[in-house]
Amino acid sequence: MLLADVVAASLAVAATRSRKEKVAALADLLARADPPSREVVTSYLAGALRQRRTGVGWRGLQALEVSPAAEPSLAVLAVDDALERLSHLEGPGSQRARAEALAALFGAATPAEQQWLRGALTGEVRQGASDALVQEAVARAADLPLPAVRRAAMLAGSTVAVVDAAFDGGEEALAGFGLEVGQPISPMLAASAPTVAEAMARFRVTVDVAVAVAVDTKLDGIRIQVHRSDDEVLVVTRSLDDITARLPEVVEVVRGLPVHSIVLDGEALTVGADGRPRPFQETASRSAQHTPGAGAVLTPFFFDLLHLDGVDLLDVAAAERAAALARVVPEQHRVARLVTTEVAEAESFFADVVAAGHEGVVLKDLGAPYEAGRRGASWVKVKPVHTLDLVVLAVEWGSGRRRGWLSNIHLGARDPQRPGEFTMLGKTFKGMTDAMLAWQTERFLELETHREGHVVHVRPEQVVEIAFDGLQTSTRYPGGVALRFARVLRYRDDKRADEADTLDVVKSLARS
């Protein structure tokens, strides 16, 4: 199968908001995929590469200037093979070899394929197709029940891992996938709510009848899933990357538990001498070290138990799993939790958690099973909303369904040391409605000063209110700080650019 077929399906998916039409486009391509290409096609349809890392970043792509091919000729398997070779390049001369290999790949790609490759390599394929949609497409193309596909994918750790079984062996083959200690499974995810009160309301039996819910502290660490069989321990990330060798302190804690086999879900983070969490970037930096030394220590905190001494607990109630967790994991390695029916108690707990430096809370249905790989209704996270008034410095033309509109905005804070100057903090295209896209396209074309490729630079006049989850240090942006998960709330026509928030304000927030 050609990459052009994948790109065409990606564009078709991006061009519609209809879930039904998205699934139909994905299923059609999967049904046409030849068996050797099927796993790669499944991965690409979700906008992801099979290789976790290729060594290619945005800087390397910025410097890449290669004329595109006139006609499509790249096979999906050839692209996967080229990226696999890229992922293994290291040592002296690897940078040059990577640049040459990347140029060869892009030189064989059409303009549309080049654009897709850039998005895939940077993790920014904007097509509106999640792994959940791909699972629906697999079920449709293979004529199988969706729950069978979902459960097999969650237990195997990915949709890619079960797609051949779905097509070649059907429902019986999918039923053969089970929880195995040592085989990571897709983690359960949480939906979101803006307030604790709204989250609590989702768990009410009726308007007037509340049920007890668990309110877990939401730690700002790295998600870990830990498997132990006797002395063998495996630690993986949310994306199921093996980081066991990087977290010896986590391995030591789990080896010390009074069990023979166990599968745990939790977070690991750095904690200061005062007991408060250190900035997330310190945790991320420490967890990325392949040879951890005497630096920061990552402490594990667990909030769920999926297997214990030969018994799988995925399908039992959360309350039962929590009770088992409390029996085998000491309190200092469990996430702090409140069980309550009262909104006021949950709100007070939330306030205490945030004051202690944590990210927020996750409210959980005590009767629910562990829905691995799904963002269901039985977990709901609540985080405080941080906002800044920033200035738009440039805008990028959109792709897919947003083609023809100015979409991704470059955000700047006012520089108090240089009147009239702004320092870039990041970009976002999140939170934009169609009406907002249409308005900002007209608005920013009026403010245009010049263009660089797909980027339209504008006069720094338009203020925008941005919500974000946090701040982190950055070597990518000149201010040394960047927004985490930024999204547009509204454009502020009531504010002038010289009234926007300053870089000093942003840095003070980062320090706090």
Side-chain angles (χ1 to χ4, degrees):
M1 174 167 277
L2 293 178
L3 180 64
D5 296 321
V6 174
V7 174
S10 177
L11 291 173
V13 168
T16 179
R17 283 191 165 184
S18 166
R19 188 181 186 90
K20 184 178 179 180
E21 290 178 8
K22 288 179 186 288
V23 171
L26 298 172
D28 175 68
L29 188 68
L30 280 170
R32 292 189 284 115
D34 53 297
S37 302
R38 198 183 284 138
E39 288 190 355
V40 180
V41 169
T42 301
S43 182
Y44 287 5
L45 287 179
L49 304 177
R50 290 196 316 120
Q51 297 75 19
R52 296 290 189 193
R53 294 175 180 83
T54 61
V56 179
W58 65 275
R59 291 184 186 276
L61 291 172
Q62 272 190 328
L64 184 66
E65 294 184 7
V66 181
S67 298
E71 298 293 334
S73 63
L74 275 174
V76 164
L77 288 178
V79 174
D80 182 64
D81 184 58
L83 295 175
E84 187 66 23
R85 291 196 302 272
L86 274 172
S87 70
H88 292 293
L89 289 174
E90 58 183 19
S94 61
Q95 187 171 355
R96 180 177 178 180
R98 184 174 290 109
E100 291 174 350
L102 199 60
L105 175 61
F106 273 68
T110 64
E113 290 169 337
Q114 284 191 352
Q115 184 175 6
W116 186 91
L117 284 168
R118 286 180 184 274
L121 285 163
T122 57
E124 295 183 354
V125 175
R126 300 168 191 165
Q127 61 185 21
S130 63
D131 195 49
L133 277 178
V134 175
Q135 289 172 9
E136 289 188 42
V138 171
R140 176 169 172 164
D143 193 24
L144 293 170
L146 178 57
V149 175
R150 279 181 174 161
R151 183 170 181 82
M154 91 176 178
L155 293 171
S158 72
T159 309
V160 172
V162 303
V163 66
D164 281 340
F167 278 89
D168 300 335
E171 195 168 356
E172 182 179 352
L174 292 179
F177 290 93
L179 191 154
E180 297 180 20
V181 178
Q183 171 61 54
I185 68 171
S186 301
M188 185 170 176
L189 305 174
S192 299
T195 65
V196 170
E198 183 171 322
M200 289 283 284
R202 298 184 189 184
F203 295 98
R204 290 180 178 274
V205 176
T206 68
V207 173
D208 299 318
V209 180
V211 295
V213 299
V215 188
D216 278 1
T217 302
K218 189 177 191 311
L219 304 178
D220 193 14
I222 58 165
R223 184 83 173 263
I224 56 171
Q225 184 180 125
V226 185
H227 293 239
R228 174 186 160 191
S229 178
D230 293 324
D231 283 339
E232 292 295 317
V233 177
L234 171 70
V235 185
V236 299
T237 64
R238 171 174 167 161
S239 56
L240 308 187
D241 291 316
D242 183 349
I243 56 170
T244 309
R246 304 182 205 172
L247 275 62
E249 56 269 71
V250 174
V251 172
E252 182 180 359
V253 167
V254 176
R255 276 192 180 142
L257 300 178
V259 301
H260 295 290
S261 64
I262 195 168
V263 179
L264 295 155
D265 194 359
E267 297 263 340
L269 66 156
T270 55
V271 180
D274 58 358
R276 293 176 64 87
R278 299 294 300 158
F280 172 78
Q281 201 152 8
E282 290 186 21
T283 293
S285 175
R286 166 62 181 76
S287 65
Q289 295 175 15
H290 288 270
T291 54
V297 173
L298 286 181
T299 303
F301 297 90
F302 298 107
F303 51 75
D304 219 323
L305 179 61
L306 315 183
H307 173 97
L308 179 61
D309 286 338
V311 180
D312 292 343
L313 301 175
L314 288 172
D315 295 322
V316 306
E320 186 177 338
R321 300 199 307 273
L325 180 74
R327 288 196 300 271
V328 296
V329 176
E331 185 176 3
Q332 66 265 32
H333 290 297
R334 297 199 310 268
V335 167
R337 160 177 285 195
L338 168 74
V339 175
T340 184
T341 61
E342 301 298 323
V343 173
E345 286 186 1
E347 288 177 331
S348 178
F349 184 79
F350 172 75
D352 290 344
V353 160
V354 173
H358 298 298
E359 196 175 25
V361 295
V362 182
L363 287 80
K364 299 179 178 180
D365 181 348
L366 288 169
Y370 189 92
E371 299 175 286
R374 299 197 63 195
R375 195 180 299 279
S378 51
W379 286 11
V380 182
K381 61 186 176 184
V382 182
K383 296 188 287 186
V385 178
H386 307 287
T387 65
L388 287 168
D389 289 332
L390 302 174
V391 174
V392 178
L393 307 179
V395 201
E396 299 175 10
W397 286 106
S399 59
R401 198 183 64 79
R402 294 189 175 191
R403 185 178 300 276
W405 281 337
L406 287 174
S407 177
N408 206 15
I409 56 176
H410 297 201
L411 303 164
R414 188 158 51 89
D415 189 336
Q417 307 304 320
R418 300 181 300 157
E421 298 293 324
F422 299 86
T423 301
M424 188 171 174
L425 302 176
K427 311 176 186 180
T428 189
F429 58 90
K430 303 290 188 182
M432 297 174 180
T433 64
D434 285 355
M436 188 179 291
L437 288 165
W439 177 87
Q440 72 181 35
T441 299
E442 181 177 352
R443 169 64 170 160
F444 294 130
L445 288 177
E446 292 174 352
L447 298 177
E448 180 181 355
T449 59
H450 64 285
R451 299 189 186 191
E452 291 179 321
H454 67 295
V455 179
V456 177
H457 293 264
V458 299
R459 297 194 303 275
E461 298 178 6
Q462 181 63 55
V463 178
V464 59
E465 186 176 0
I466 297 293
F468 59 98
D469 288 359
L471 294 156
Q472 62 187 39
T473 57
S474 171
T475 57
R476 181 174 180 178
Y477 296 116
V481 65
L483 305 174
R484 293 179 63 201
F485 307 113
R487 54 205 180 273
V488 175
L489 290 181
R490 59 174 173 152
Y491 281 104
R492 298 292 304 267
D493 292 328
D494 59 328
K495 274 198 169 186
R496 302 188 311 272
D498 61 4
E499 297 176 301
D501 286 309
T502 67
L503 185 59
D504 288 348
V505 169
V506 176
K507 288 184 174 181
S508 69
L509 284 174
R511 287 192 297 270
S512 66

